[in-house]
Amino acid sequence: MFALVDCNNFYASCERVFRPELARVPVLVLSNNDGCVIARSAEAKALGFEMGDPYHLVRAKIEANGVKVFSSNYTLYGDFSGRVLETLKRFAEEIENYSIDESFLKFSPGADLEHVGAEIRATVHQHTGIPVSVGLGPSKVLAKLANRIAKRRPECAGVFRMPAGEGRAEILRATPTQELWGIGKQLSARLAAAGVVNAQQLSELSERAARQVLTVVGARIVAELRGASCLEIEEVVPTKKSVVCSRSFGRAVETLAELREPMADYTSRLAEKLRREGLVCAHLRVSVETNPFKEDAPQYFAGRGCDLITPTAFTPELVETALALLETIYRPGFRFKRVGVMALEVMPANAVQLGFDAPEPAELDRRARLMTAVARLNGLLGRGAVRVAAAGSAESPWQMRRGLCSPHYTTRWSELRRVAA
DNA sequence: TCTGGGGTCCTAGGACCC
DNA sequence: TCTGGGGTCCTAGGACCC
C-alpha cells in the first residue's frame, strides 16, 4: 500500500506559518520576476485566481479583493520541505521525496492503516504548521488519485483511501483521463479520439492498445490503475542528468552584446550549481528565444550545444564556451526575451570510469601507448566506454576527459597531455 | 531489370511532472 | 510594458558502421 502525502497550497502555506494574521486572507505567491501566479491559498482559488495567471493581468483583481501577494522564496520553501520530510520518516520505512511538496510512503502488507492518514496530518501540522492531504492506494497512480479526492471532498478531512471493487470503478468512471498522473492534455486528447474519456475505460484497455496510444509510459499507468503496482518507491535520490539555468528578462533585447551579458551571468550561476552539487558536465548547450506571447512579432528559437574538452564546472571555461555557442545562433533583427544554458552529460566530479597507470616518462611515445591502450579497451568494452582520468594534486584534485575516441582528442593533445601528466 | 540488413549512437522534439 | 523555471523520459530519424 502506498500513501501520497501532499502539502496543501504549499508555498502559500509556508508564507502563512509565521504570519497568523493571514490565516483567512487570500494569498498568492508569484514566480521569479513576479511574472505569474504559482501558488494560491484556498481563499485565492475561491476568488477564481488560476495557476499561471500573469501578474499584470490580475493585479486589479488582487487589489480589489485584498489579496496578499508574495514573491517566491525558495530557501524558505526548501526548509519547510525538509522539515515535513523529516516528520514523515517516522511513519514508513520506505519513503520517496517526490517533489518539494509531495512524498510517497510505502507500507508493508500487514501495516495497520486505519488511522495512519489522520495521524500523519496531525503530526505534520503540529511539527511544521503545514497542512497536508493523504491519499492511500495499492499503486502510486491510485494513491495520487486518492490524494486528489482527499483534497476535494471536505467530508474526507484530508484523508482518502482508494476502495476496491465497485467503489473504485465508480471513482474511476468519474475521473477524466487528464486528471491522472502522467496523462496530460495531449495524451488525453489522443485517448478521447480512441473513445477513452475516463479512467475506468483506460483501465480496461489491453496492454497492447495502451502501448499503441500512449507508449510504454501509458501502459504502466494502465497497469497501475488496475491496482498492479509497477512504479516503485525511489528512495535514493538519483544524481542529476542535466542542470539548467534559464530566465526571461523584463525587457526584450536585440543586440549580441546585450545577449552576451545574461548568457555569461546564467552560465556562471550554472557553474556554481554544478560545483555546489559536486558535479561536472561534459556537454554544454545554450538557447535563445523571442517572446512567444507576441504573436505578431517575428519569432526565432534556437539552441546549440557542444562537447567539452574536459568535463568541468570551471566558470571561465563554461562562460567562454557558452558565449562562443551564442555567437553561432544569434540572428540580428529579432527581439530576444529569454536565454538559457544547460549542462548535459553531467557526472560526479570524482567519477572515474577506469584508471590505469601512466607509462614511464622515459618511455618513448606516451601518446601512442595511451591511444593504443584506450583503443583496445574501447574495442573490448564498446565505443566510449573508457574515459581517461588522472588523479591530480591538491590544487587540482583530478581531471578527467571523455573517451579518447571522441573526435576532439587529436586536436587537443596538449590538453590531454596535461591531464595525463 | 534487379542496389541489404542489422545494429548503435546522437540529436531534436514532444510530452509529462512539479 | 508586464506571461516561471527546472527537471525526466520516450521516440523518430539521420549518420554511421560492418
Side-chain angles (χ1 to χ4, degrees):
Chain A
M1 190 63 112
F2 295 87
L4 177 66
V5 181
D6 188 320
C7 302
N8 300 346
N9 318 320
F10 183 52
Y11 298 169
S13 299
C14 291
E15 296 293 348
R16 261 179 178 165
V17 170
F18 299 119
R19 296 184 184 83
E21 72 276 13
L22 295 182
R24 303 226 180 307
V25 179
V27 171
L28 292 178
V29 178
L30 302 178
S31 64
N32 274 15
N33 298 338
D34 294 344
C36 62
V37 171
I38 54 167
R40 308 158 290 156
S41 72
E43 299 77 9
K45 285 177 187 172
L47 286 169
F49 289 98
E50 294 295 331
M51 199 72 171
D53 276 350
Y55 180 46
H56 70 275
L57 292 183
V58 294
R59 186 178 286 170
K61 187 168 159 186
I62 287 170
E63 281 159 17
N65 290 284
V67 178
K68 192 79 184 143
V69 183
F70 293 91
S71 297
S72 39
N73 179 351
Y74 292 102
T75 314
L76 178 75
Y77 311 150
D79 186 54
F80 272 105
S81 179
R83 284 199 255 169
V84 171
L85 183 63
E86 276 311 306
T87 308
L88 290 178
K89 280 183 182 163
R90 70 175 61 185
F91 289 98
E93 272 167 30
E94 284 182 64
I95 180 163
E96 171 185 345
N97 186 208
Y98 174 65
S99 76
I100 192 163
D101 68 338
E102 288 167 272
S103 290
F104 283 105
L105 277 59
K106 188 178 180 184
F107 301 104
S108 45
D112 172 24
L113 299 176
E114 202 49 44
H115 303 106
V116 74
E119 281 172 35
I120 288 173
R121 253 172 77 80
T123 313
V124 173
H125 194 264
Q126 185 193 341
H127 287 208
T128 68
I130 301 289
V132 300
S133 301
V134 183
L136 292 147
S139 67
K140 281 176 152 185
V141 167
L142 289 174
K144 265 292 233 197
L145 181 55
N147 190 285
R148 280 185 92 98
I149 294 167
K151 282 209 165 91
R152 208 173 290 172
R153 295 187 187 167
E155 71 272 19
C156 292
V159 181
F160 185 75
R161 180 169 177 172
M162 185 61 69
E166 181 51 29
R168 181 190 303 169
E170 197 177 309
I171 288 168
L172 294 187
R173 271 194 293 274
T175 305
T177 55
Q178 208 189 318
E179 290 191 12
L180 295 170
W181 187 39
I183 306 283
K185 215 173 176 177
Q186 307 299 325
L187 294 184
S188 68
R190 221 181 285 172
L191 283 169
V196 175
V197 297
N198 66 50
Q200 178 62 22
Q201 292 170 317
L202 182 57
S203 75
E204 287 163 0
L205 229 49
S206 73
E207 152 105 29
R208 198 193 156 118
R211 228 168 226 274
Q212 204 167 24
V213 188
L214 303 176
T215 78
V216 296
V217 185
R220 281 198 287 262
I221 295 172
V222 169
E224 289 248 321
L225 276 178
R226 295 196 191 115
S229 167
C230 49
L231 300 170
E232 261 316 309
I233 290 277
E234 290 171 29
E235 287 193 274
V236 285
V237 182
T239 56
K240 285 203 178 128
K241 296 179 175 160
S242 64
V243 179
V244 178
C245 186
S246 78
R247 215 143 296 178
S248 312
F249 353 110
R251 174 176 308 151
V253 303
E254 272 187 50
T255 66
L256 180 58
E258 286 171 305
L259 278 178
R260 284 171 62 90
E261 209 174 310
M263 184 61 82
D265 180 21
Y266 301 169
T267 307
S268 60
R269 287 173 196 235
L270 180 77
E272 273 171 46
K273 268 196 213 180
L274 285 170
R275 292 197 298 270
R276 198 162 48 232
E277 303 199 30
L279 300 171
V280 290
C281 68
H283 189 96
L284 193 72
R285 183 179 174 79
V286 305
S287 60
V288 296
E289 222 175 301
T290 50
N291 187 347
F293 296 102
K294 287 216 160 193
E295 285 170 17
D296 45 338
Q299 297 287 323
Y300 178 62
F301 174 91
R304 179 163 300 171
C306 72
D307 286 343
L308 298 163
I309 301 303
T310 307
T312 184
F314 186 48
T315 303
E317 201 175 332
L318 292 178
V319 169
E320 188 192 331
T321 308
L323 293 178
L325 286 167
L326 171 66
E327 213 148 308
T328 69
I329 54 174
Y330 172 75
R331 298 282 177 279
F334 292 98
R335 297 181 53 72
F336 293 98
K337 185 65 181 152
R338 178 191 190 86
V339 305
V341 55
M342 188 186 294
L344 294 163
E345 296 216 45
V346 166
M347 60 194 93
N350 59 3
V352 173
Q353 306 274 326
L354 183 71
F356 55 87
D357 291 335
E360 287 296 313
E363 265 168 0
L364 206 77
D365 194 341
R366 290 165 70 174
R367 176 178 181 171
R369 288 180 60 93
L370 273 169
M371 283 169 59
T372 310
V374 173
R376 277 184 58 192
L377 288 166
N378 278 328
L380 287 169
L381 303 171
R383 183 171 176 273
V386 177
R387 300 169 176 198
V388 176
S393 60
E395 313 79 274
S396 154
W398 65 278
Q399 290 280 357
M400 176 173 164
R401 196 183 176 285
R402 296 182 67 206
L404 273 176
C405 50
S406 99
H408 302 291
Y409 88 98
T410 49
T411 60
R412 297 291 190 104
W413 174 244
S414 57
E415 179 74 21
L416 177 60
R417 193 162 46 200
R418 185 171 69 74
V419 170

